[in-house]
Amino acid sequence: QAGDDVLLVRRPPKGLLGGMAALPTSAWAEGAADVLGQAPVVADWCVLDKRVAHTFTHFHLDLGIARAVVAQRPEVAGEWVGVANLAHAGLPTLFAKAARIARC
């Protein structure tokens, strides 16, 4: 988060939630290690205690959430969207849940 803005990215065109707006994520893999090494910006990331449980048609995802606040918007791929506009950003349910938790 930079001020009142949150970074959103576009999911790859093929695969789960293809082409949809999303919060930045690491690869979705069982036992994924070093997920903060894949963070979109260098920052003081805080891994939250709460997680998002979401079931797709063929697998269950238990998504950990990390949050960072930066003083200025870094130049990164994606779009910065105001927190107040997240409900209208077209986020899939999984990422809408994660955004609600991260704002707390």
Side-chain angles (χ1 to χ4, degrees), residues 29 43 51 100:
R51 302 176 73 80
R100 280 192 298 274

Side-chain angles (χ1 to χ4, degrees), residues 13-85:
K14 302 243 185 218
L16 286 171
L17 307 176
M20 298 185 83
L23 297 169
T25 67
S26 61
W28 295 345
E30 189 171 338
D34 190 31
V35 293
L36 292 181
Q38 299 174 42
V41 298
V42 174
D44 187 14
W45 289 90
C46 174
V47 177
L48 304 181
D49 291 333
K50 294 184 179 180
R51 302 176 73 80
V52 174
H54 189 82
T55 301
F56 292 93
T57 55
H58 57 291
F59 82 99
H60 181 75
L61 178 65
D62 181 36
L63 185 71
I65 302 170
R67 181 174 189 263
V69 176
V70 294
Q72 297 179 335
R73 287 194 230 170
E75 293 292 325
V76 294
E79 175 185 4
W80 291 92
V81 175
V83 170
N85 296 324

Side-chain angles (χ1 to χ4, degrees), residues 78-100:
E79 175 185 4
W80 291 92
V81 175
V83 170
N85 296 324
L86 279 178
H88 307 290
L91 290 174
T93 303
L94 168 68
F95 293 111
K97 289 179 193 177
R100 280 192 298 274

